[in-house]
Amino acid sequence: MNTNTPDLFDHPAPGGGSVWLTGQTDLATQLADGGYHPRTATDPDLIPPAIAAEIITRYTWPGELVLDPDCGPATTLVEALHHGRPALGLTTNPRSWRLARTNITTAKRSGAWSDGSILDHPATALTHIRAAGTRGTATLAITALRNPTRSTATTDLTTTLTHTRKALHPDGHIAIVATPTRDRNGELIDLPTAVLAAGQAAGLVLVHHAVALTAALHHDGVRTRAGITKRRRAHNHPSGKPIALTAHRHILVFQPALATVSAVAGAGHHHLGNTAVREAPFLHIGRTDLDAVGAAA
């Protein structure tokens, strides 16, 4: 097990930290049950439907707008529709746009909430779409940290978050989902710190840091769902040392700085929006056990 991994909660937030049991059902089953197009699974930064649903139900009520400024194949939007929330997504990737439209259309035909849209625009367009009635109305924005090994990943995320704030309700939340990623030497990249830096640069304050499992939790531990190919690659990594399989996503939840100050000031009146009151108790699993979980087969 890699002992040089960053602490899961190096950056404590007012809402604390928690572990979400979002991996009890495997991803293939989640996608099949949700009616997603088969190519949805090929997105390398895919937000699993169970994780999207967990965030949505924790931070919104039915009827509140959910936004994804870089939506990929739109699992976040589809789960919002299935849970009775209107949804709006943006992407400039033609393949993602077509796939997102297919998934949203399928969800609507299956009886999900009908108010779901996907725009062929970058997140910067959120600053200029007042006519669409979106500015300041989204209760929740969810998006993935995409292509995290790029040198511009953090600055690009800062730009996305800065413009996303324009569409966010003053008491709304922005959740960033980051998939654990290793460098060429097999060492885990400290993505939580990168996401935190991007959020702070965009004028946001971290209010919660969760670990959402993508593996099943059993009485005898966490079990990954990696196939034989991934397991062999982990044991025969180019770095010359075996690496542990990851089994989770990081979820960093932010609010605009002014909203956070207001919430703290009004805590005596229980004006906390939809945040900490719905958080599960923090299950402490330790410093390295999740970022480099050597889970059983």
Side-chain angles (χ1 to χ4, degrees):
M1 187 172 291
N2 185 350
T3 59
N4 296 318
T5 55
D7 197 319
L8 293 175
F9 302 103
D10 275 338
H11 311 288
S18 58
V19 174
W20 300 346
L21 304 185
T22 47
Q24 299 303 92
T25 301
D26 64 272
L27 179 60
T29 301
Q30 292 178 38
L31 294 174
D33 289 348
Y36 290 93
H37 190 281
R39 285 201 298 270
T40 302
T42 63
D43 179 11
D45 301 303
L46 181 72
I47 299 178
I51 293 178
E54 187 75 16
I55 299 170
I56 289 164
T57 55
R58 284 176 179 267
Y59 291 99
T60 66
W61 297 107
E64 294 181 338
L65 176 63
V66 175
L67 168 70
D68 189 335
D70 190 4
C71 67
T75 53
T76 52
L77 309 182
V78 170
E79 292 308 309
L81 298 179
H82 280 312
H83 287 82
R85 279 78 163 167
L88 173 65
L90 294 86
T91 181
T92 56
N93 184 310
R95 180 179 179 276
S96 293
W97 184 82
R98 291 191 296 270
L99 194 52
R101 281 200 56 156
T102 299
N103 287 333
I104 290 173
T105 299
T106 300
K108 291 180 180 181
R109 288 176 177 171
S110 69
W113 187 286
S114 62
D115 190 6
S117 302
I118 173 73
L119 303 178
D120 182 14
H121 289 294
T124 53
L126 291 169
T127 306
H128 311 294
I129 57 175
R130 297 185 187 184
T134 304
R135 189 177 178 90
T137 61
T139 303
L140 172 67
I142 312 173
T143 200
L145 174 63
R146 294 191 168 276
N147 303 317
T149 57
R150 288 179 299 116
S151 60
T152 61
T154 301
T155 55
D156 289 348
L157 180 59
T158 298
T159 299
T160 296
L161 295 178
T162 299
H163 289 277
T164 300
R165 284 190 60 186
K166 304 297 183 180
L168 196 69
H169 186 276
D171 292 328
H173 295 83
I174 300 179
I176 308 300
V177 181
T179 301
T181 304
R182 296 181 182 276
D183 61 22
R184 294 180 179 179
N185 296 320
E187 299 294 334
L188 282 162
I189 299 171
D190 187 3
L191 295 184
T193 296
V195 174
L196 177 62
Q200 291 176 335
L204 302 171
V205 174
L206 182 69
V207 296
H208 196 78
H209 180 182
V211 167
L213 296 182
T214 54
L217 182 65
H218 296 285
H219 67 279
D220 58 345
V222 178
R223 297 189 177 186
T224 68
R225 303 184 187 281
I228 187 64
T229 300
K230 287 187 177 180
R231 292 180 182 277
R232 285 175 177 170
R233 289 175 179 172
H235 284 289
N236 300 283
H237 192 267
S239 64
K241 58 184 178 182
I243 61 174
L245 297 166
T246 55
H248 70 291
R249 301 286 192 276
H250 285 287
I251 317 295
L252 280 78
V253 183
F254 297 89
Q255 278 193 294
L258 293 178
T260 306
V261 171
S262 298
V264 172
H269 298 89
H270 305 285
H271 180 64
L272 293 175
N274 298 325
T275 5
V277 292
R278 282 192 255 180
E279 290 297 349
F282 169 47
L283 171 63
H284 182 70
I285 298 187
R287 180 179 177 86
T288 62
D289 292 349
L290 284 175
D291 256 351
V293 61

